[in-house]
């Protein structure tokens, strides 16, 4: 075997893409570090074109163009394979592969750097880093409730405080506003040693340079106790500065790149690169809100990697990674529902649990005990979980412009642009409460049908569909958690019907291009999130259930049951 043949054997398209993503992430991180270390903030938006400044809306426009190109590319492949299969030659394949390489690289750069470093004055997301870096670093002293109070007390010890007593801050125990003066009076920061207090004062002064006054009116640090314990490992560096905060933000970039590489390894380069493209261009996330912060995407990294190992039938590794994801962010626990339901159904039917499911369950339990024990290795132990779930109960009932969920289908009041008459979210909350019975009934029926389908699917499809269906139907969560929507691309692995596979792979990009177009023309986020994205997921999940309901004969079985009981009633 000569050198060329050896090269062709080991460097396939798949190995190329597996190596490409992490390599680019590392290179990009190095470039960002160098640029952020030496570039002037006045260079913000400069991309080498005189008189032109690249801004956030340019980034969105580029994302929209990429979704259109991807959708049209998949439509072209569908047309060639269905109408002109003779045209599906090596040359065409190589051209399309080259296009995918360009799109993946370009969308990745735009996602990780275009939305932050190029279009903003600073790369790090200081507002979010303030909460999710200081939160874990001083978790033992602050818990979930004292970040703002102790910050204000530290600020009050300065000769020239940044905050006046008459300013407002948020009480993290009940999310109500109260005065800075009141917060300083009630602040109990006795849990700090003098050394840690001095360090905390320096760290808060550092963030005061880069954050707005209103940062103390947000909702505090809301990571799980396990997140706080793991994140504190790197967060506990002395004397935070611009360079160290920038470097810490690279953990998420490298993590996401590794997860994508694992997905390409498990699912093949075609599905894997489409996953990457949708992850990068998904309107709901866009790296704007929690990107370039610290340890904010590790739940998604573990979730994606867990599904990849599940595809490779590595049930033990998959269970550990999915458990880690759930311990980091709770809601990924829903992605256990697919295999969990299949296990229960199989046991009821045959009184047996399949060996792979035994392995999966055993390692999930072991990982839960291990990670739970790690999370308790900090002050207040189990009481941290009580405070965490109290915070979550306050979050879960919120309706805001940044949220997406099935319930928003029932709350649309005709607003499409900024000029349209708007119904306040308080009024929408009342409408939701009035219509809860019918919403719950519809949700329940869809979930029953959905899980009747789930138990007849392979483990990967069951995990993705079962988890995402519960997530979308039961909760209205902030947009960036819908980064997990990219998993829907993986649902279409191992499809025998290529036409159906291509159509369903194309639809998410087509929908995203429409959302980006609406955003480009109206810039009205409440519609795009609450109703545009909600409508997309409703239609897409409904289409999946309809198609798979027919394929798995769930529809036929339900029809037979209805006919059977109708006959009895007659």
């Amino acid at each position: 075997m000569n050198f060329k043949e050896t090269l062709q054997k080991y460097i396939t398209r798949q190995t190329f893409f597996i190596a490409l993503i992490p390599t680019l992430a590392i290179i990009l991180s190095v470039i960002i570090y160098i640029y952020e270390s030496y570039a002037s903030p006045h260079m913000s938006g400069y991309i080498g074109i005189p008189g032109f400044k690249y801004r956030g809306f340019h980034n969105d426009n580029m994302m929209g163009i990429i979704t259109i190109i991807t959708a049209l590319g998949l439509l072209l492949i569908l047309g060639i394979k269905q109408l002109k299969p003779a045209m599906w030659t090596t040359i065409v394949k190589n051209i399309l592969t080259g296009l995918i390489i360009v799109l993946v690289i370009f969308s990745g750069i735009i996602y990780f750097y275009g939305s932050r470093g190029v279009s903003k004055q600073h790369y790090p997301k200081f507002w979010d880093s303030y909460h999710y870096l200081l939160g874990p670093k001083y978790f033992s002293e602050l818990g979930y409730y004292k970040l703002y109070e102790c910050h204000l007390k530290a600020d009050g010890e300065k000769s020239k405080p940044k905050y006046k007593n008459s300013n407002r801050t948020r009480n993290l125990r009940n999310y109500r506003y109260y005065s800075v003066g009141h917060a300083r009076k009630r602040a109990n920061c006795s849990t700090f040693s003098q050394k840690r207090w001095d360090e905390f004062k320096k760290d808060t002064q550092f963030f005061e340079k880069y954050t707005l006054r209103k940062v103390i009116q947000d909702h505090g640090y809301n990571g799980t106790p396990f997140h706080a314990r793991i994140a504190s490992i790197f967060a506990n560096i002395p004397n935070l500065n611009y360079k160290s905060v920038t470097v810490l933000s690279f953990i998420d970039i490298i993590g996401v790149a590794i997860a994508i590489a694992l997905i390409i390894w498990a699912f093949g380069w075609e599905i894997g690169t489409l996953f990457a493209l949708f992850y990068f261009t998904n309107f709901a996330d866009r790296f704007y809100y929690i990107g370039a912060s610290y340890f904010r995407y590790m739940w998604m990294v573990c979730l994606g990697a867990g599904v990849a190992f599940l595809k490779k039938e590595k049930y033990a590794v998959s269970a550990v990674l999915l458990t880690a994801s759930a311990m980091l962010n709770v809601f990924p626990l829903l992605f256990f529902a697919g295999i969990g339901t299949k296990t229960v159904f199989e046991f009821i039917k045959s009184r047996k649990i399949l060996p792979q499911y035994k392995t999966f369950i055993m390692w999930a339990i072991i990982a839960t005990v291990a990670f739970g024990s790690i999370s308790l290795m900090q002050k207040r132990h189990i009481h941290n979980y009580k405070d965490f779930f109290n915070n979550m109960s306050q979050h879960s009932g919120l309706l805001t412009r940044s949220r997406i969920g099935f319930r928003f289908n029932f709350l649309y009041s005709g607003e499409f642009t900024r000029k349209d008459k708007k119904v306040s979210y308080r009024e929408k909350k009342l409408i939701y409460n009035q219509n809860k019975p019918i919403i719950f009934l519809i949700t329940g029926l869809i979930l029953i049908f959905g899980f009747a389908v789930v138990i007849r699917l392979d483990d990967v499809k069951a995990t993705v569909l079962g988890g995402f269906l519960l997530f979308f139907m039961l909760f209205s969560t902030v947009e960036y958690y819908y980064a997990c929507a990219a998993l829907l691309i993986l649902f279409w692995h191992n499809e025998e019907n290529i036409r159906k596979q291509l159509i369903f792979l194309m639809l998410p990009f087509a929908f995203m291009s429409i959302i980006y177009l609406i955003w480009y023309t109206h810039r009205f986020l409440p519609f795009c999130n609450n109703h545009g994205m909600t409508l997309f997921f409703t239609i897409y999940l409904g289409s999946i259930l309809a198609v798979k309901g027919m394929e798995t004969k769930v529809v036929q079985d339900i029809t037979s049951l209805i006919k059977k009981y109708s006959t009895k009633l007659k």
Side-chain angles (χ1 to χ4, degrees):
M1 186 182 293
N2 59 35
F3 177 74
K4 184 178 178 181
E5 290 173 337
T6 305
L7 206 63
Q8 288 175 340
K9 179 180 178 181
Y10 292 105
I11 303 181
T12 62
R13 281 186 174 90
Q14 183 154 331
T15 55
F16 171 78
F17 278 108
I18 290 171
L20 175 69
I21 305 297
T23 302
L24 286 175
I26 293 169
I27 292 171
L28 182 61
S29 298
V30 171
I31 293 171
I32 292 171
Y33 178 77
I34 294 170
Y35 184 81
E36 290 295 312
S37 298
Y38 302 106
S40 165
H42 297 293
M43 292 178 70
S44 171
Y46 179 71
I47 58 173
I49 303 174
F52 176 79
K53 283 199 171 185
Y54 189 89
R55 294 298 182 222
F57 66 89
H58 293 121
N59 210 65
D60 293 337
N61 296 345
M62 295 306 300
M63 289 295 195
I65 291 169
I66 291 170
T67 58
I68 292 171
I69 292 172
T70 307
L72 291 176
L74 289 168
L75 186 63
L76 176 64
I77 294 171
L78 176 63
I80 291 173
K81 288 196 171 186
Q82 293 296 309
L83 303 175
K84 298 284 186 179
M87 289 178 63
W88 191 244
T89 61
T90 303
I91 295 174
V92 173
K93 290 179 185 177
N94 289 338
I95 291 171
L96 289 172
T97 302
L99 177 62
I100 289 171
I101 292 171
V102 171
L103 289 176
V104 168
I105 293 173
F106 193 50
S107 62
I109 292 172
I110 291 174
Y111 176 80
F112 285 123
Y113 195 51
S115 62
R116 293 297 315 160
V118 177
S119 60
K120 304 293 180 183
Q121 190 174 13
H122 304 289
Y123 178 75
K125 180 80 171 184
F126 285 109
W127 184 297
D128 198 78
S129 297
Y130 166 81
H131 295 95
Y132 279 81
L133 214 168
L134 295 187
K137 182 174 181 177
Y138 297 103
F139 188 72
S140 293
E141 291 89 354
L142 300 172
Y144 288 105
Y145 300 138
K146 298 194 292 183
L147 174 59
Y148 298 162
E149 290 176 357
C150 288
H151 178 179
L152 291 168
K153 183 175 181 179
D155 178 64
E157 292 181 3
K158 294 187 299 187
S159 57
K160 293 183 178 180
K162 178 176 181 177
Y163 297 97
K164 297 177 182 178
N165 284 334
S166 58
N167 293 149
R168 285 200 315 171
T169 184
R170 192 184 295 276
N171 185 338
L172 295 177
R173 293 169 181 82
N174 54 27
Y175 287 173
R176 294 174 184 169
Y177 290 115
Y178 65 145
S179 71
V180 165
H182 187 191
R184 282 176 174 148
K185 284 180 183 178
R186 70 174 297 169
N188 177 10
C189 308
S190 59
T191 47
F192 281 89
S193 66
Q194 188 59 50
K195 182 181 177 182
R196 290 280 284 177
W197 180 247
D198 291 340
E199 190 175 343
F200 178 70
K201 287 168 70 175
K202 288 180 182 178
D203 288 345
T204 51
Q205 284 181 52
F206 163 74
F207 277 104
E208 284 176 2
K209 298 177 190 174
Y210 301 102
T211 55
L212 300 173
R213 289 178 180 272
K214 289 187 177 181
V215 72
I216 57 168
Q217 294 178 12
D218 206 329
H219 295 85
Y221 168 66
N222 292 297
T224 64
F226 180 67
H227 181 280
R229 188 73 184 92
I230 299 301
S232 68
I233 295 170
F234 295 107
N236 268 299
I237 57 173
N239 301 322
L240 290 174
N241 55 50
Y242 192 96
K243 288 184 179 180
S244 63
V245 172
T246 301
V247 170
L248 287 173
S249 72
F250 298 156
I251 292 174
D252 283 340
I253 295 179
I254 304 299
V256 169
I258 291 171
I260 291 172
L262 286 170
I263 285 168
I264 294 171
W265 163 70
F267 288 88
W269 73 270
E270 296 96 335
I271 292 290
T273 51
L274 286 175
F275 169 88
L277 277 172
F278 189 73
Y279 182 87
F280 292 146
T281 58
N282 181 1
F283 180 84
D285 178 24
R286 293 176 291 154
F287 210 63
Y288 274 139
Y289 306 101
I290 59 173
S293 182
Y294 172 63
F295 225 73
R296 291 291 261 147
Y297 285 91
M298 293 312 293
W299 65 271
M300 183 63 207
V301 172
C302 293
L303 181 59
V307 174
F309 278 101
L310 185 62
K311 174 67 171 67
K312 285 292 188 177
E313 299 182 356
K314 307 290 184 183
Y315 285 85
V317 181
S318 175
V320 171
L321 287 166
L322 291 176
T323 303
S325 181
M327 292 292 289
L328 287 168
N329 206 15
V330 182
F331 85 82
L333 179 66
L334 299 172
F335 288 87
F336 281 92
I339 287 180
T341 307
K342 289 184 72 174
T343 302
V344 171
F345 184 78
E346 182 64 30
F347 183 77
I348 292 171
K349 189 170 68 172
S350 63
R351 299 296 172 184
K352 293 180 181 179
I353 298 177
L354 297 176
Q356 65 267 34
Y357 294 164
K358 285 183 180 178
T359 300
F360 186 84
I361 293 167
M362 180 183 73
W363 279 99
I365 292 171
I366 291 171
T368 301
V369 172
F371 297 151
S373 300
I374 290 170
S375 70
L376 296 176
M377 294 167 63
Q378 47 198 342
K379 288 183 181 179
R380 300 195 74 248
H381 312 297
I382 195 68
H383 296 288
N384 290 321
Y385 277 99
K386 180 183 176 183
D387 293 343
F388 170 75
F389 284 111
N390 178 58
N391 275 1
M392 290 304 98
S393 66
Q394 295 187 81
H395 269 283
S396 61
L398 295 175
L399 294 177
T400 65
R401 67 176 190 165
S402 63
R403 293 178 178 256
I404 301 167
F406 181 70
R407 66 189 63 176
F408 281 105
N409 286 309
F410 302 89
L411 303 177
Y412 184 57
S413 55
E415 67 274 25
F416 184 66
T417 69
R418 294 176 186 273
K419 296 177 181 179
D420 294 329
K421 184 181 178 181
K422 300 174 186 65
V423 174
S424 71
Y425 283 105
R426 182 174 292 182
E427 292 175 284
K428 288 192 175 188
K429 182 75 173 178
L430 291 173
I431 295 170
Y432 171 71
N433 289 332
Q434 290 169 1
N435 291 285
K436 258 186 181 179
I438 186 67
I439 295 173
F440 281 13
L441 175 63
I442 294 171
T443 299
L445 290 174
I446 292 172
L447 288 176
I448 290 169
F449 180 83
F451 275 85
V453 173
V454 163
I455 59 175
R456 303 185 186 195
L457 300 173
D458 67 54
D459 292 341
V460 171
K461 292 179 188 290
T463 298
V464 170
L465 181 59
F468 193 82
L469 189 63
L470 284 171
F471 177 58
F472 176 69
M473 297 297 297
L474 296 180
F475 303 98
S476 60
T477 57
V478 285
E479 56 213 323
Y480 42 80
Y481 289 141
Y482 274 86
C484 68
L487 294 174
L488 292 172
I489 298 294
L490 306 183
F491 181 86
W492 297 102
H493 78 109
N494 289 349
E495 286 291 327
E496 294 181 2
N497 188 325
I498 300 300
R499 180 173 64 177
K500 177 184 64 186
Q501 182 189 45
L502 286 170
I503 289 172
F504 274 94
L505 288 172
M506 178 191 67
L507 283 175
F509 294 99
F511 273 111
M512 284 306 105
S513 63
I514 294 170
I515 296 293
Y516 276 111
L517 180 62
I518 294 170
W519 176 238
Y520 173 75
T521 54
H522 297 295
R523 297 285 166 187
F524 188 53
L525 196 60
F527 176 82
C528 291
N529 278 334
N530 297 165
H531 307 297
M533 291 298 294
T534 292
L535 182 62
F536 156 57
F537 288 124
T538 302
I539 293 172
Y540 195 68
L541 289 171
S543 301
I544 290 175
L545 292 179
V547 169
K548 291 300 176 182
M550 293 292 290
E551 282 184 9
T552 57
K553 298 186 178 179
V554 170
V555 173
Q556 293 89 323
D557 290 347
I558 291 173
T559 304
S560 298
L561 280 172
I562 292 172
K563 286 181 179 178
K564 180 180 176 181
Y565 284 103
S566 296
T567 305
K568 283 186 178 181
L569 288 172
K570 288 179 181 179

